[in-house]
mmCIF file of all heavy atoms in Angstrom:
data_model
loop_
_atom_site.group_PDB
_atom_site.id
_atom_site.type_symbol
_atom_site.label_atom_id
_atom_site.label_comp_id
_atom_site.label_asym_id
_atom_site.label_seq_id
_atom_site.Cartn_x
_atom_site.Cartn_y
_atom_site.Cartn_z
ATOM 1 N N ASP A 335 3.397 -15.903 -16.392
ATOM 2 C CA ASP A 335 2.340 -14.887 -16.341
ATOM 3 C C ASP A 335 2.125 -14.326 -14.940
ATOM 4 O O ASP A 335 0.988 -14.178 -14.483
ATOM 5 C CB ASP A 335 1.021 -15.449 -16.885
ATOM 6 C CG ASP A 335 1.118 -15.838 -18.349
ATOM 7 O OD1 ASP A 335 1.951 -15.247 -19.044
ATOM 8 O OD2 ASP A 335 0.362 -16.717 -18.783
ATOM 9 N N GLU A 336 3.204 -14.000 -14.238
ATOM 10 C CA GLU A 336 3.069 -13.425 -12.904
ATOM 11 C C GLU A 336 4.138 -12.360 -12.691
ATOM 12 O O GLU A 336 5.287 -12.526 -13.104
ATOM 13 C CB GLU A 336 3.204 -14.516 -11.831
ATOM 14 C CG GLU A 336 2.880 -14.016 -10.435
ATOM 15 C CD GLU A 336 2.925 -15.131 -9.405
ATOM 16 O OE1 GLU A 336 3.985 -15.744 -9.254
ATOM 17 O OE2 GLU A 336 1.895 -15.358 -8.764
ATOM 18 N N ILE A 337 3.738 -11.244 -12.049
ATOM 19 C CA ILE A 337 4.664 -10.179 -11.681
ATOM 20 C C ILE A 337 4.502 -9.878 -10.205
ATOM 21 O O ILE A 337 3.488 -10.230 -9.597
ATOM 22 C CB ILE A 337 4.432 -8.889 -12.509
ATOM 23 C CG1 ILE A 337 2.983 -8.409 -12.373
ATOM 24 C CG2 ILE A 337 4.811 -9.082 -13.960
ATOM 25 C CD1 ILE A 337 2.712 -7.062 -13.011
ATOM 26 N N ALA A 338 5.508 -9.231 -9.624
ATOM 27 C CA ALA A 338 5.461 -8.831 -8.221
ATOM 28 C C ALA A 338 5.753 -7.341 -8.128
ATOM 29 O O ALA A 338 6.693 -6.843 -8.757
ATOM 30 C CB ALA A 338 6.469 -9.616 -7.397
ATOM 31 N N ILE A 339 4.941 -6.646 -7.360
ATOM 32 C CA ILE A 339 5.122 -5.215 -7.117
ATOM 33 C C ILE A 339 5.528 -5.064 -5.660
ATOM 34 O O ILE A 339 4.822 -5.535 -4.764
ATOM 35 C CB ILE A 339 3.832 -4.441 -7.437
ATOM 36 C CG1 ILE A 339 3.495 -4.608 -8.914
ATOM 37 C CG2 ILE A 339 3.978 -2.976 -7.076
ATOM 38 C CD1 ILE A 339 2.197 -3.981 -9.334
ATOM 39 N N GLU A 340 6.690 -4.430 -5.425
ATOM 40 C CA GLU A 340 7.258 -4.371 -4.072
ATOM 41 C C GLU A 340 7.601 -2.947 -3.684
ATOM 42 O O GLU A 340 7.950 -2.129 -4.525
ATOM 43 C CB GLU A 340 8.531 -5.227 -3.998
ATOM 44 C CG GLU A 340 8.314 -6.674 -4.306
ATOM 45 C CD GLU A 340 9.602 -7.469 -4.321
ATOM 46 O OE1 GLU A 340 10.690 -6.848 -4.344
ATOM 47 O OE2 GLU A 340 9.530 -8.710 -4.300
ATOM 48 N N GLY A 341 7.523 -2.684 -2.374
ATOM 49 C CA GLY A 341 7.894 -1.382 -1.835
ATOM 50 C C GLY A 341 7.665 -1.346 -0.340
ATOM 51 O O GLY A 341 7.195 -2.318 0.264
ATOM 52 N N ASN A 342 7.980 -0.210 0.272
ATOM 53 C CA ASN A 342 7.828 -0.054 1.717
ATOM 54 C C ASN A 342 6.499 0.565 2.107
ATOM 55 O O ASN A 342 5.981 0.282 3.179
ATOM 56 C CB ASN A 342 8.959 0.808 2.280
ATOM 57 C CG ASN A 342 10.296 0.127 2.154
ATOM 58 O OD1 ASN A 342 10.380 -1.073 1.942
ATOM 59 N ND2 ASN A 342 11.363 0.893 2.279
ATOM 60 N N ASP A 343 5.957 1.429 1.267
ATOM 61 C CA ASP A 343 4.719 2.144 1.581
ATOM 62 C C ASP A 343 3.540 1.371 0.991
ATOM 63 O O ASP A 343 3.431 1.212 -0.227
ATOM 64 C CB ASP A 343 4.773 3.555 1.000
ATOM 65 C CG ASP A 343 3.661 4.443 1.519
ATOM 66 O OD1 ASP A 343 2.722 3.910 2.158
ATOM 67 O OD2 ASP A 343 3.726 5.665 1.287
ATOM 68 N N ILE A 344 2.644 0.875 1.855
ATOM 69 C CA ILE A 344 1.526 0.045 1.390
ATOM 70 C C ILE A 344 0.601 0.818 0.464
ATOM 71 O O ILE A 344 0.040 0.245 -0.481
ATOM 72 C CB ILE A 344 0.748 -0.557 2.578
ATOM 73 C CG1 ILE A 344 -0.248 -1.610 2.088
ATOM 74 C CG2 ILE A 344 0.059 0.514 3.389
ATOM 75 C CD1 ILE A 344 -0.883 -2.422 3.177
ATOM 76 N N GLU A 345 0.441 2.104 0.667
ATOM 77 C CA GLU A 345 -0.449 2.879 -0.191
ATOM 78 C C GLU A 345 0.110 3.022 -1.599
ATOM 79 O O GLU A 345 -0.633 2.920 -2.581
ATOM 80 C CB GLU A 345 -0.709 4.250 0.424
ATOM 81 C CG GLU A 345 -1.532 4.164 1.688
ATOM 82 C CD GLU A 345 -1.972 5.507 2.210
ATOM 83 O OE1 GLU A 345 -1.716 6.520 1.531
ATOM 84 O OE2 GLU A 345 -2.574 5.539 3.274
ATOM 85 N N LYS A 346 1.420 3.229 -1.731
ATOM 86 C CA LYS A 346 2.017 3.353 -3.055
ATOM 87 C C LYS A 346 2.064 2.007 -3.766
ATOM 88 O O LYS A 346 1.873 1.937 -4.982
ATOM 89 C CB LYS A 346 3.417 3.949 -2.948
ATOM 90 C CG LYS A 346 3.396 5.408 -2.531
ATOM 91 C CD LYS A 346 4.770 6.000 -2.487
ATOM 92 C CE LYS A 346 4.696 7.472 -2.105
ATOM 93 N NZ LYS A 346 6.018 8.069 -1.976
ATOM 94 N N VAL A 347 2.309 0.924 -3.028
ATOM 95 C CA VAL A 347 2.337 -0.408 -3.642
ATOM 96 C C VAL A 347 0.945 -0.777 -4.144
ATOM 97 O O VAL A 347 0.773 -1.230 -5.289
ATOM 98 C CB VAL A 347 2.860 -1.462 -2.638
ATOM 99 C CG1 VAL A 347 2.696 -2.866 -3.185
ATOM 100 C CG2 VAL A 347 4.322 -1.203 -2.321
#
Side-chain angles (χ1 to χ4, degrees):
D335 297 333
E336 188 176 60
I337 56 173
I339 298 176
E340 300 176 346
N342 294 343
D343 192 349
I344 190 170
E345 292 188 5
K346 291 183 178 177
V347 171

